[in-house]
Amino acid sequence: MSGGFFWCLFSGKSPVSVNLEPVVYMESNSINLMRVISLYLMVNIHVAVRGAYVLHDYWWIANLWDSVSRICVPLFFMLSGALLVDKQEGLGVFFRKRAAKILAPFITWSLIYLLYRLYVGNEKDLAIESILAGPTYFHLWFMYAIVGLYIAMPLLRVYYSSASMSLNVYVLLCWFVGLSIMPMLQSFGLFPNFAIPVNFLPQYAGYMLLGVLLRDIAQKRFALVSMCLFVFFSLLTFWLTEFVSERSGALNERFYDYLAPNVILMSVFAFVVLNWVGSRINRGSVFLSELGVCSFGAYLAHMLIMQTLLMYGGEVIPAWNTPYIAISIPLLTIVTFFLSLLLIWVLRKNKVTRILFT
């Protein structure tokens, strides 16, 4: 199906059902590369946004870092789709595997951040049941989203197993219009009363479907074009965010949203590029594999690491409204990124801590 998704998108023709095509598996290096890049960009967002909340003379630097990094969460969702949507396994097996992988670390880190807010943040009105009400620290929202997508996965698998390529394109277009284009237009006051439901997928499920459809596109010709388009939409995100923020006098994150049209397109092209780059790396990269295995736990841990660095090293970090943020943003990102990975690598050495934290 190499390039078939792009071909069908523009031609509207495909007589072949997806379930009749051979399953094509991504290179392990592509998988691990996407995990590591997504983690790094997520850390970068949480660092860069500190320099963008106030529109000082150099906030555009933080805006540029933040704009380029907006693909991080979509890449996670797309990678999950590429690995899971057409995987053949029973319902019980699927949920046991997912629970074994994410449940213990999710609960453990939720409790850690709850205690952090209680004893470091002095938020005295928190209780354990807060975990059920929502994330105990803001970045953990992703866990609630991924659990919801896992719940919907069996239904997505049934659909995908018998869907033609043209039907997949139709469903994705409905998702793109219903959850991206229309909300964006309505945020500018256009079509405020448009009430026709044109979306058939849960909020982020379109990314999972995109992941499995784009999975086998790892050719150089697509990667080069996708790289150019990724750069274009990254710069467009940067410019649009600057434009609406300057007009409103404060940071406007409308074009940062993970379902904004520009971010969806950035993510699609980044996925194709990283899939190709990963396929060119020598097989059996032990270092990349180790980083990939540690990435999930590092995602959970990175905010604790970053806040600790800011708490005890804040005096050596330049003010966020100076030109030095061009250095401090990538520096703090890199240190947080590698310390988070190092922490998880150490915790994985023990069976109990591996289960609980990673």
Side-chain angles (χ1 to χ4, degrees), residues 118-173:
L118 279 170
Y119 295 104
V120 179
N122 294 316
E123 300 180 47
K124 302 301 183 183
D125 57 342
L126 297 173
I128 292 180
E129 54 265 28
S130 301
I131 297 174
L132 298 176
T136 57
Y137 216 77
F138 69 90
H139 73 298
L140 296 180
W141 74 268
F142 174 81
M143 298 302 300
Y144 294 81
I146 202 69
V147 168
L149 289 173
Y150 283 165
I151 291 172
M153 182 61 70
L155 300 177
L156 189 59
R157 284 178 170 179
V158 171
Y159 156 78
Y160 184 78
S161 67
S162 59
S164 66
M165 180 61 75
S166 56
L167 180 59
N168 283 323
V169 172
Y170 169 74
V171 170
L172 282 173
L173 285 174

Side-chain angles (χ1 to χ4, degrees), residues 21-22 86 111 120 184 191 225 249 273 303 357:
E21 299 184 12
D86 63 347
L111 290 173
V120 179
M184 180 61 72
F191 304 104
V225 174
V273 171
M303 283 307 303
F357 291 94

Side-chain angles (χ1 to χ4, degrees), residues 310-325:
L310 289 171
M311 185 183 305
Y312 294 103
E315 293 183 0
V316 299
I317 298 175
W320 295 101
N321 60 349
T322 69
Y324 296 109
I325 63 172

Side-chain angles (χ1 to χ4, degrees), residues 77-130:
F77 287 140
M78 294 169 74
L79 185 56
S80 295
L83 297 175
L84 296 176
V85 168
D86 63 347
K87 190 173 183 178
Q88 301 299 313
E89 60 185 352
L91 200 61
V93 174
F94 170 75
F95 283 113
R96 282 197 299 271
K97 286 183 177 180
R98 304 286 81 72
K101 181 176 178 59
I102 71 170
L103 193 57
F106 173 42
I107 294 173
T108 300
W109 284 103
S110 292
L111 290 173
I112 289 173
Y113 284 107
L114 183 67
L115 292 173
Y116 177 86
R117 291 174 62 187
L118 279 170
Y119 295 104
V120 179
N122 294 316
E123 300 180 47
K124 302 301 183 183
D125 57 342
L126 297 173
I128 292 180
E129 54 265 28
S130 301

